[in-house]
């Protein structure tokens, strides 16, 4: 098995820097668009055979060191009673967003083994197809990012309703975050039981918060989730690594360290070495090329990727990734060339 990715999560030495890409399966790939033309997005996510096939598309096309299950962060909310759809050009919409303490009290606490069984079945299928060649990453939204969609009813720029609920109805906020923390840890544990080798927690929008609000209203729930995952021993195999990812966190990496995740995802608003210095030793780092760079001429992509790798400087525990997901129109050949470049450059310059 290619275990570079898992070794890097544990900060062990590797022959070269492992690489994978957030949103590595998606519309930038012609073979994805061919399936997408025939099915709706939720239909793809909820059909394990399709989700497994799509998960494998980038594994076949790119020299990546991990697969990530094809799913989305929002479907687990359906089991709580939220109504979800994906509208063309708009992204996700929740049709009955949370607007009061009563809405939050009425949320169910679902068992993801029942309500998200399709993704767990997709994980089992992918594990069968990977036959140990590559590790498989499972994932979940983190409580704050899930709460923001549940409250705003979709994407948001300012998170006004989310912050208002947090400040004006703190008891309701804490009740919601406790339910979401339980959902996220149950879901992550179910994915590990189904075969996921690592779990990424997407807290994509947490950079909207001040450090003080993050500490008071969010961090305790991230800690609850990670403690619950760490505490569980599945099939005698403890220690499934957890990657905690957010964006727009430039000065907050010291706080993220307190999540006790094994790996922290870094976006492009910080340099990798600066974020790593804030984090301190004893933690692995994933990132952090700006995904827009992939639209540039190869010469610039190579310079920027080299900069990321030189800032990591071969320290054990660097996983190369973008600072956020691959964008829709990205040229596939640049993604393929980047994965190969990361391996070649890092094996020559930074690894023995
Ligand atoms: O990384 C991967 O390849 C795994 C699959 C994955 C998807 N979404 C597939 C997807 C993962 C890990 C996600 C996570 C996700 N989903 C996040 C956190 C990461 C991030 O990007 O910040 C968030 C916030 C969502 C919510 C979401 N889902 C949005 C905002 C959108 C619409 C934007 C868009 O690109 O259309 C989605 C839809 C979505 N999720 C698509 C894919 C491939 C596009 C669906 C399509 O084919 O039309």
């Amino acid at each position: 098995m290619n275990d570079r990715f898992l070794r890097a999560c544990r900060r062990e030495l590797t022959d070269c820097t492992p690489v994978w890409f957030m949103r590595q399966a998606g519309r930038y790939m012609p073979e994805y668009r061919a399936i997408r033309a025939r099915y709706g997005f939720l239909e793809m996510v909820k059909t394990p055979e399709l989700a497994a096939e799509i998960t494998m598309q980038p594994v076949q096309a790119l020299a990546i060191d991990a697969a990530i299950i094809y799913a989305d962060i929002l479907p687990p909310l359906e089991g709580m009673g939220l109504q979800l759809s994906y509208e063309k050009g708009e992204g996700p919409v929740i049709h009955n967003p949370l607007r009061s303490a009563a809405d939050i009290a009425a949320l169910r606490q679902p068992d993801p083994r029942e309500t998200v069984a399709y993704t767990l079945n997709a994980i089992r299928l992918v594990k069968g197809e990977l036959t140990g060649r590559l590790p498989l990453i499972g994932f979940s939204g983190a409580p704050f990012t899930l709460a923001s969609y549940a409250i705003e009813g979709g994407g948001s720029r300012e998170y006004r309703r989310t912050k208002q609920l947090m400040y004006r109805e703190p008891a309701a906020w804490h009740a919601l975050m406790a339910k979401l923390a339980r959902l996220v840890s149950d879901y992550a544990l179910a994915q590990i039981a189904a075969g996921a080798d690592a779990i990424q927690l997407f807290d994509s929008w947490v950079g909207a918060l001040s450090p003080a609000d993050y500490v008071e209203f969010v961090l305790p729930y991230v800690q609850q989730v990670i403690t619950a995952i760490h505490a569980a021993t599945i099939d005698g195999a403890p220690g499934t690594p957890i990657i905690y990812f957010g964006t727009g966190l430039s000065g907050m990496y010291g706080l993220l360290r307190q999540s006790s995740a094994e790996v922290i995802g870094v976006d492009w608003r910080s340099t990798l070495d600066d974020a790593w210095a804030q984090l301190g030793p004893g933690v692995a780092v994933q990132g952090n090329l700006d995904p827009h760079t992939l639209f540039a001429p190869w010469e610039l992509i190579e310079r920027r990727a080299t900069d990321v790798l030189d800032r990591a400087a071969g320290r054990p525990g660097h996983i190369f990734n973008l600072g956020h997901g691959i964008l829709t129109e990205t040229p596939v050949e640049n993604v393929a060339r980047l994965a190969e470049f990361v391996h070649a450059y890092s094996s020559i310059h930074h690894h023995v």
Side-chain angles (χ1 to χ4, degrees), residues 20-27 32 36 40-41 44-45 54 58 68-74 86-92 139-141 145 149 155 200 202-205 245 247 324-326 328:
W20 69 280
F21 302 107
M22 291 184 275
R23 285 286 182 91
Q24 63 194 15
R27 280 172 296 193
Y32 178 89
R36 185 71 174 88
F41 173 60
M44 285 154 65
V45 166
I54 296 163
I68 179 164
I69 193 66
Y70 180 76
D72 197 50
I73 61 167
L74 299 173
Y86 292 80
E87 315 285 335
K88 263 227 156 17
E90 271 186 71
F139 69 88
S140 172
T145 292
Y149 281 100
Q200 177 152 325
F202 283 94
D203 222 348
S204 306
W205 311 136
F245 167 79
T247 67
H324 207 158
I326 296 184
T328 301

Side-chain angles (χ1 to χ4, degrees), residues 10 19 25 27-28 55 67 69 76 84 95 105 116 134 137 140 168 171 187 212 240 261 263 289 297 300 320 332 349:
R10 298 189 295 254
V19 53
R27 280 172 296 193
Y28 77 104
T55 301
I69 193 66
L84 172 67
H95 299 273
V116 207
L134 284 187
I137 303 169
S140 172
R168 290 182 177 164
Y187 183 39
T240 303
V263 186
L289 189 74
L300 181 63
F320 191 98
V332 186
H349 294 272

Side-chain angles (χ1 to χ4, degrees), residues 284-298:
V285 167
Q286 175 174 283
N288 71 336
L289 189 74
D290 181 346
H292 294 272
T293 312
L294 286 164
F295 292 89
W298 173 253

